[in-house]
Amino acid sequence: MKTERLIGLLTSGAGPAPRAPVARRLAPVLAAALTASIIASVAVLGLIPPAMWFGAAPWIKLGYAAALGASCAWLLARLACPAAPIGAAPYTLAAAVAAMLLVGAGELALMPPAERYSYMVGHSAARCPWAILALSTPALAGLVWALRGLAPTRLRLAGVCAGLLAGTIGAAGYALSCSEESAAFVAVWYSLGIALCGLLGGALGSRLLRW
Amino acid sequence: MSLPGELSSGVAWNDFEAELAPLWNRAQGGDETAYREALEAIAARLRGYFARRLPSVPHEVEDLVQETLLALHLRRGTHDGGLPVSNWVYAIARHKLIDLWRRRGRREALHEPLDETASLRAPLYEELPTRRDLEALLGALPEAQRLAIRLIKLEGLSVAEASQRSGVSVSALKVRVHRGLKRLAALVRKEE
């Protein structure tokens, strides 16, 4: 087929370009993945005692997940468009992590030194990152699907970002069933779980996101 | 690279953007004539871009031009109107070039010619015959998608006319055309 004929085929009846395909593709995936993460967390792990909602802990976890998630979603939306400048998203991402680490460190600093370790490790440190990773898998699968219909040109970076975003969705679900009280726990183990998801996304990204 | 070289390269770059941007804006709004002209201008650019980077495999050039045009069309919604469209086109062209090397399993670095400015002044690259037969690949699409593409894209019917002729709803026809082109793009990559 001559290229001129291909151009004729592409342009005839083409109509206007689809509007906001990035938001239209990412938004439903994020909503579905968050729902899946919440349902899996509540059904498999069980909700935290209602009294905990009067304390700060669940809100710190949800707020951290939301701040990271918003930054990652913003960054991913840029990475899905060729030649689009990344903007300030990496800075807001770094700021959210830094703020969480600072709060966690501040909390530990006010503790008697002998209690710091047990406070940071809590009773579920060994489970937390893996639970976040497991709860994030539907989100990662959905985001890979969404990105394959968009146009990421930096595949590994897009994969890492999709993984981190999936991780924040896993973390938001896990926050509903995590009875840990300490901010230091969140700063260490939630961050670790989300980072694991980012690693997984990066490892898969350069292979699965090709187009 | 010398300073005058960079300057002239910058001029050529801006020429392309200046030629393409108004066409592209109208095309994105649904003007098919402008879209055709925009893709023709892009195809001519891509031919030179790929020919300079694939000096050892000139027979690959036109196939890659066509593959890139398909990709541009399928993803044209990802161009943010506030950014230069030439940057967007070149980012996708570069991605397609890297993808080609990757599929071939070649490890050699991407060949970025340094004599870019000299080549830009050279006459336009001619279209060589393709190795791949898109016509045959179209034939490999599922019947429903093939029919939708034939009516709307090849016979040039409006979507409404095609809907009447085939008894398929307008929205279903649009979806079939889009899915068919996506499938075609996937076949093009798999075929290698």
Side-chain angles (χ1 to χ4, degrees):
Chain A
M1 185 186 279
K2 299 279 278 180
T3 296
E4 191 189 343
R5 187 164 151 79
L6 173 67
I7 291 175
L9 185 146
L10 295 178
T11 54
S12 64
R19 289 190 168 272
V22 177
R24 289 224 305 238
R25 223 171 151 88
L26 288 183
V29 165
L30 293 179
L34 185 61
T35 311
S37 169
I38 290 170
I39 291 175
S41 173
V42 171
V44 178
L45 304 168
L47 270 175
I48 50 173
M52 264 195 86
W53 291 102
F54 294 103
W59 303 109
I60 289 177
K61 294 165 192 165
L62 288 174
Y64 185 45
L68 287 182
S71 299
C72 290
W74 181 18
L75 182 57
L76 195 63
R78 305 309 292 163
L79 287 172
C81 296
I86 279 176
Y91 299 107
T92 61
L93 187 68
V97 175
M100 192 65 237
L101 291 177
L102 216 61
V103 171
E107 189 187 55
L108 289 185
L110 297 174
M111 298 246 126
E115 288 175 31
R116 281 177 191 161
Y117 179 76
S118 66
Y119 207 71
M120 193 180 76
V121 173
H123 56 79
S124 60
R127 187 179 73 174
C128 169
W130 302 110
I132 289 175
L133 184 65
L135 290 171
S136 77
T137 48
L140 186 57
L143 288 173
V144 164
W145 170 82
L147 283 173
R148 285 175 63 90
L150 298 168
T153 51
R154 283 180 269 182
L155 302 187
R156 189 173 296 273
L157 189 57
V160 169
C161 187
L164 291 175
L165 178 53
T168 66
I169 289 172
Y174 187 63
L176 303 183
S177 56
C178 164
S179 55
E180 298 286 351
E181 297 275 4
S182 109
F185 182 92
V186 179
V188 174
W189 304 105
Y190 275 60
S191 303
L192 190 66
I194 294 168
L196 275 179
C197 302
L199 280 180
L200 179 63
L204 296 176
S206 50
R207 193 154 285 276
L208 294 184
L209 296 178
R210 290 178 192 174
W211 53 275
Chain B
M1 196 187 280
S2 69
L3 191 61
E6 278 175 352
L7 283 176
S8 71
S9 160
V11 169
W13 179 275
N14 291 338
D15 278 353
F16 181 42
E17 180 66 28
E19 177 195 1
L20 187 56
L23 286 174
W24 185 258
N25 287 338
R26 287 196 316 213
Q28 292 288 80
D31 179 339
E32 281 171 28
T33 315
Y35 193 26
R36 177 186 282 267
E37 285 173 33
L39 288 190
E40 276 163 4
I42 288 171
R45 276 290 160 149
L46 290 179
R47 207 165 282 137
Y49 177 87
F50 290 137
R52 287 193 298 277
R53 284 161 181 80
L54 298 167
S56 54
V57 279
H59 54 278
E60 301 265 20
V61 170
E62 203 60 28
D63 287 299
L64 198 54
V65 169
Q66 294 190 353
E67 190 186 335
T68 307
L69 288 173
L70 253 174
L72 289 170
H73 172 72
L74 287 170
R75 291 168 167 80
R76 65 185 182 130
T78 64
H79 173 244
D80 171 345
L83 299 170
V85 59
S86 51
N87 290 2
W88 180 80
V89 168
Y90 279 123
I92 292 180
R94 194 184 148 78
H95 175 77
K96 279 292 167 191
L97 189 62
I98 293 171
D99 186 55
L100 178 78
W101 289 126
R102 208 186 261 143
R103 266 158 25 208
R104 295 295 151 79
R106 291 190 199 170
R107 292 277 162 264
E108 64 198 86
L110 193 60
H111 177 65
E112 290 281 5
L114 291 171
D115 58 343
E116 187 82 1
T117 55
S119 319
L120 278 169
R121 282 195 215 94
L124 284 176
Y125 285 82
E126 263 180 67
E127 175 172 350
L128 297 173
T130 55
R131 287 191 316 152
R132 173 198 301 135
D133 188 1
L134 277 184
E135 218 92 56
L137 287 181
L138 271 177
L141 295 182
E143 174 64 33
Q145 294 171 4
R146 199 172 15 154
L147 178 72
I149 289 179
R150 204 186 69 220
L151 292 177
I152 296 169
K153 296 292 198 175
L154 298 178
E155 293 183 17
L157 300 185
S158 73
V159 185
E161 288 166 341
S163 169
Q164 260 182 350
R165 171 100 71 94
S166 61
V168 179
S169 77
V170 166
S171 56
L173 270 179
K174 284 184 182 167
V175 169
R176 283 179 194 179
V177 167
H178 187 73
R179 292 225 174 113
L181 291 179
K182 262 168 80 169
R183 182 92 167 226
L184 187 65
L187 287 174
V188 158
R189 284 189 71 229
K190 227 174 268 164
E191 201 210 6
E192 300 292 329

